[in-house]
Amino acid sequence: MGQLSFFSAETEEPAYSDLEGLLAAHGQTVRSESGTRVSIVVADRWRAEQIVEQTRAAGLEAEVTTSDEGTPLARTAPSHDLDALHAAWSTGAVKSMPAGWVPTFRALRLWVIAAGHSDEGRYELGLDPHAPETHADLATALMRAGIAPTLVGTRGNSPALRITGHRRLARLHEYVGPPPCPAAVADWPAAELH
């Protein structure tokens, strides 16, 4: 008898804190008088569209636009509801991970949507090359979630947390659920290694 699939990301209600997954990647917050805006430039249009969809599910206004370089950009409207998120992920003008942070399942799903890549039986979660001081902390945060990664690419422009091994990859897939759209399949954590 087959077992029903039940993904951890489906057990949580959408929340503003889900956007922490974008900040774990290379997302940015900007605070102004009208509130905080979260934005992230991504490699593919599907990523931007899914980020906007997830953000709207949390009750925030968001849009897909294009960066100055012509790359897809997902961003929220400025909102004071995000001020606490900005404060938690900033030390002065520098991005910093909150002490003791553990990604929720939905935050991890957004991190995968924004900066996840499959690579021949391994999976990589992209990090912010402009915030190297967050890399080791984010590796520890992922360990707290039960997935032990390896930090790779720290000397280049593509730092990432690499996840290998059947059990770790299966756990990641269990947490984030199925791909959100057909275009995501190639860069989504597989349910099992082929």
Side-chain angles (χ1 to χ4, degrees), residues 59-152:
L60 294 161
E61 290 183 41
E63 67 177 346
V64 175
T65 185
T66 305
S67 71
D68 293 340
E69 295 78 30
T71 310
L73 168 71
R75 67 182 182 191
T76 67
S79 171
H80 288 295
D81 292 328
L82 296 173
D83 290 350
L85 184 74
H86 172 75
W89 281 81
S90 303
T91 303
V94 178
K95 185 197 286 190
S96 61
M97 188 194 87
W101 181 68
V102 179
T104 64
F105 302 129
R106 293 183 70 85
L108 188 55
R109 183 172 174 86
L110 266 178
W111 192 356
V112 166
I113 289 170
H117 298 281
S118 269
D119 181 26
E120 299 177 13
R122 303 177 294 204
Y123 198 79
E124 293 188 356
L125 285 171
L127 299 169
D128 190 340
H130 303 294
E133 60 284 344
T134 65
H135 299 172
D137 292 340
L138 287 164
T140 300
L142 202 54
M143 284 184 224
R144 286 189 201 107
I147 302 169
T150 303
L151 186 54
V152 297

Side-chain angles (χ1 to χ4, degrees), residues 2-191:
Q3 186 174 353
L4 290 174
S5 293
F6 190 66
F7 297 101
S8 299
E10 296 172 341
T11 66
E12 295 178 343
E13 288 296 315
Y16 301 155
S17 60
D18 298 345
L19 299 185
E20 290 178 312
L22 302 180
L23 302 178
H26 54 281
Q28 304 294 320
T29 60
V30 175
R31 175 91 168 81
S32 68
E33 286 184 14
S34 54
T36 296
R37 167 175 270 166
V38 177
S39 63
I40 189 165
V41 174
V42 291
D44 308 294
R45 178 111 184 146
W46 72 262
R47 293 179 191 271
E49 290 170 351
Q50 290 301 317
I51 289 166
V52 165
E53 185 175 311
Q54 300 287 316
T55 301
R56 288 179 178 161
L60 294 161
E61 290 183 41
E63 67 177 346
V64 175
T65 185
T66 305
S67 71
D68 293 340
E69 295 78 30
T71 310
L73 168 71
R75 67 182 182 191
T76 67
S79 171
H80 288 295
D81 292 328
L82 296 173
D83 290 350
L85 184 74
H86 172 75
W89 281 81
S90 303
T91 303
V94 178
K95 185 197 286 190
S96 61
M97 188 194 87
W101 181 68
V102 179
T104 64
F105 302 129
R106 293 183 70 85
L108 188 55
R109 183 172 174 86
L110 266 178
W111 192 356
V112 166
I113 289 170
H117 298 281
S118 269
D119 181 26
E120 299 177 13
R122 303 177 294 204
Y123 198 79
E124 293 188 356
L125 285 171
L127 299 169
D128 190 340
H130 303 294
E133 60 284 344
T134 65
H135 299 172
D137 292 340
L138 287 164
T140 300
L142 202 54
M143 284 184 224
R144 286 189 201 107
I147 302 169
T150 303
L151 186 54
V152 297
T154 55
R155 296 185 190 271
N157 291 329
S158 300
L161 296 179
R162 180 177 288 158
I163 301 159
T164 59
H166 176 72
R167 286 176 59 197
R168 290 181 188 124
L169 291 168
R171 177 167 285 160
L172 178 63
H173 178 76
E174 177 187 323
Y175 285 174
V176 301
C181 62
V185 172
D187 271 323
W188 202 255

